[in-house]
Structures are given as C-alpha cells and as structure tokens.
Amino acid sequence: MEQNTLPVLWSLHIGVIIVNIIHNTSDYHPKVLRFLNVAFDGTGDCLIAGDHQGNIYVFDLHGNRFNLVQRTAQACTALAFNLRRKSEFLVALADYSIKCFDTVTKELVSWMRGHESSVFSISVHASGKYAITTSSDTAQLWDLDTFQRKRKLNIRQSVGIQKVFFLPLSNTILSCFKDNSIFAWECDTLFCKYQLPAPPESSSILYKVFAVTRDGRILAAGGKSNHLHLWCLEARQLFRIIQMPTK
C-alpha cells in the first residue's frame, strides 16, 4: 500500500468485485499484512480497516483513495465507523481497551476501559449516541457523548456470549448466547421484551454468526452447518430454513 489510490478492477455490478485491496510492506522486505477488521460508514462509500500491526486506514471507495489515520501499535479486535460525529471511529484493541479517534485530526478523542477479555464486537445505536461492546464474558453499554459506561449488561455466567447488538431503527438490543438462546431488551430500561423460542430439536446447528435486515424485522442465524435460520422478530418465530450446498 505505497500509493494513496485504490486499484479499481471493474465498475459496480451486482455480484462483481469492484475493488481488490492488497496490504503489502516495502519492496525490500515484501510481506502481506493481514486486515483483521473492517467497518463501513453510514453512507457505504467509506470503510475503515485495521491490520494486525495496529495500522488503521480509511478507504474512500467513491474517491478511489485511502489514508493512514492511526497507528495504535497493537492489533485491533473490532471496529465501528458509524458514530454521530462522522469523522470519529471506535477501535477495540488487544489490551481489552476501546479508543475513539478522529480520522481528520488523527487525535485520540477518548479511551474506554472496563473489559477483562478481548472485545470482538462493537455495535452502535442508529442515533450514534450509544455503543455496545461485547467480549466473551460481558457486554457493556456506553454513552458516546460522554464516553462513560452506562451499564454492564447482566449476563448468565454459565453461558458464553456470541453477540450483543442493536437492532436497526429501534431501541431494541438483541443478545445471542452460545446455547442458541436469544433475548431482546429495551435499550433505555434494559427490560427484557421477549425471548425467541428454541430452534427445532431436529436442528443440530449452533449459532455463531448473525445478521439483521435493514428494517430490523428478520434475523438470520448460522453456524457450522449448511443451513441458515431466518427468524421473524415481529412474530418471534422461525419461519424459514435455507439449505445451502454441502460445501
């Protein structure tokens, strides 16, 4: 990555690669550096990426350029780039801390501590005011105006966490655990709104990854299986199982 322009391969078509980013060191000591995490901004025109050496870049896909915005000197474990102040981003680091930086000034805005293990997920509320950071043993709710922790979410210690995140366009927090249990909580009061029923006994899938449609109505859950489960969050029921090819 010696130049500040991106090698655009093809123009935008559905299902076609539009850009290929390769992260190399100098020609004297060639080595491919691994990007560990990426996150898009609200427009989808920019993304932020962090590598295992702690370098963080902003990629402007519309302008076909990139910029090194921070050197953290340690690997990043999670990123978020859709805060209310558009130039700011959150990065979780290998020392279990979360930092907020500004991409324009490249200055440290805030430093948040409180986790005792690696943070693997950062979810930002649609308003950009709140963030949830998740590690294997806890999830924490932060106020991004003050960068103070609002609440340490109650987690059952006997069951590990897979993911805790905000649903789009709502004040609902979804918490997903390693036993396939999924709970919905009210953001302001942290009152439990509902729990999804257990998947069918005939399904041996253990959920590891989750995605929600942009309107926040459908949850997709998958794991080490060729099946995907689609949940209707309004009806609170599993309404479709998608079978993919075995491989």
Side-chain angles (χ1 to χ4, degrees):
M1 298 186 64
E2 298 175 353
Q3 300 178 354
N4 287 341
T5 58
L6 299 176
V8 177
L9 302 183
W10 294 286
S11 59
L12 177 60
H13 291 84
I14 295 176
V16 176
I17 296 175
I18 62 170
V19 64
N20 183 27
I21 300 170
I22 301 176
H23 191 2
N24 291 324
T25 55
S26 67
D27 293 335
Y28 298 102
H29 302 284
K31 181 181 179 182
V32 175
L33 300 180
R34 293 176 291 113
F35 284 119
L36 298 180
N37 289 279
V38 298
F40 279 89
D41 69 354
T43 67
D45 289 333
C46 291
L47 66 88
I48 195 165
D51 65 26
H52 70 282
Q53 292 187 347
N55 303 308
I56 299 178
Y57 297 85
V58 169
F59 295 90
D60 180 357
L61 301 181
H62 183 74
N64 193 34
R65 300 187 64 82
F66 70 88
N67 187 29
L68 175 64
V69 295
Q70 198 57 235
R71 298 181 187 271
T72 65
Q74 55 181 316
C76 74
T77 59
L79 286 168
F81 194 29
N82 52 345
L83 280 61
R84 182 157 57 181
R85 293 174 289 274
K86 302 305 181 184
S87 63
E88 294 179 1
F89 67 92
L90 295 176
V91 54
L93 299 170
D95 65 357
Y96 313 154
S97 68
I98 304 105
K99 292 183 178 181
C100 179
F101 291 102
D102 191 293
T103 59
V104 177
T105 66
K106 301 184 180 180
E107 293 181 352
L108 175 66
V109 178
S110 188
W111 190 345
M112 299 176 285
R113 290 186 175 273
H115 282 276
E116 297 179 356
S117 59
S118 180
V119 173
F120 56 75
S121 173
I122 302 175
S123 175
V124 178
H125 188 269
S127 67
K129 184 177 180 180
Y130 302 109
I132 295 173
T133 55
T134 307
S135 60
S136 60
D137 57 351
T138 186
Q140 304 194 30
L141 178 64
W142 303 86
D143 186 327
L144 296 182
D145 285 336
T146 63
F147 294 100
Q148 298 295 313
R149 186 175 65 188
K150 285 178 60 69
R151 190 76 63 90
K152 186 175 181 179
L153 304 183
N154 293 326
I155 302 297
R156 294 178 294 169
Q157 297 298 324
S158 59
V159 181
I161 306 170
Q162 290 286 21
K163 193 172 184 180
V164 181
F165 59 99
F166 289 105
L167 290 182
L169 307 177
S170 75
N171 269 345
T172 301
I173 297 171
L174 220 60
S175 59
C176 310
F177 298 89
K178 290 185 178 179
D179 63 355
N180 278 2
S181 60
I182 299 175
F183 294 83
W185 310 81
E186 177 62 39
C187 174
D188 297 327
T189 63
L190 293 183
F191 173 78
C192 184
K193 299 173 67 174
Y194 59 84
Q195 178 183 1
L196 293 182
E201 293 184 1
S202 59
S203 173
S204 60
I205 182 174
L206 287 176
Y207 296 153
K208 291 185 177 296
V209 290
F210 306 87
V212 181
T213 52
R214 188 171 294 183
D215 59 10
R217 298 173 62 186
I218 297 175
L219 169 70
K224 292 184 177 179
S225 167
N226 64 327
H227 291 92
L228 287 177
H229 287 184
L230 298 185
W231 292 87
C232 175
L233 297 181
E234 290 181 331
R236 302 172 192 177
Q237 63 181 10
L238 180 67
F239 74 93
R240 185 172 298 170
I241 297 177
I242 299 176
Q243 183 173 355
M244 299 181 294
T246 303
K247 295 183 180 181

